[in-house]
Amino acid sequence: MKPVDFDGAETYEPDEGWQRVAMAGSNAFTFEWFEKPPGHSSPMHDHENEQVCICLEGTLTVTTEDDKVTLEKYDSVWLDAWESHRVENTGDVRAVGLDVFAPGRSFDFWTDREE
């Protein structure tokens, strides 16, 4: 067993108010808790990982090149590997979500990427 204490977990804040926290995971899959302030959007991006995004609080809109879906509390969406997408808080309050990635990844995806 390998527990992860939320308050002591590795964190990454790419933009003010957009925080990501690394939860328990492995090379096979990782979990990232995140929060976004109202109006915040990640850039359009893709990655080698399949991804499931679950909305825990607020409203998240996930946009791909071909589609758009708005997630409310406990709604989820699956994204295929290399599927370009962005995740935006389209509500008026903080949004909180949980991303699951397979295979697992680290924050290097954000820190080592080129715009």
Side-chain angles (χ1 to χ4, degrees), residues 55-113:
C55 182
L56 301 176
E57 292 178 26
T59 304
L60 294 168
T61 299
V62 180
T63 304
T64 66
E65 293 176 345
D66 301 319
D67 208 356
K68 180 189 271 192
V69 64
T70 298
L71 306 176
E72 295 182 357
K73 191 172 187 177
Y74 304 134
D75 292 340
S76 61
V77 66
W78 168 78
L79 297 157
D80 200 2
W82 302 116
E83 185 172 9
S84 292
H85 63 282
R86 71 173 174 261
V87 180
E88 180 180 6
N89 177 351
T90 51
D92 297 330
V93 297
R94 174 184 86 143
V96 176
L98 184 68
D99 283 333
V100 182
F101 298 98
R105 70 174 202 184
S106 69
F107 292 139
D108 292 349
F109 171 77
W110 292 109
T111 58
D112 294 352
R113 71 191 291 263

Side-chain angles (χ1 to χ4, degrees), residues 3-12 19-24 33:
V4 174
D5 177 62
F6 185 81
D7 291 331
E10 180 183 6
T11 63
Y12 175 61
Q19 181 184 15
R20 301 187 73 84
V21 178
M23 307 302 290
W33 177 97

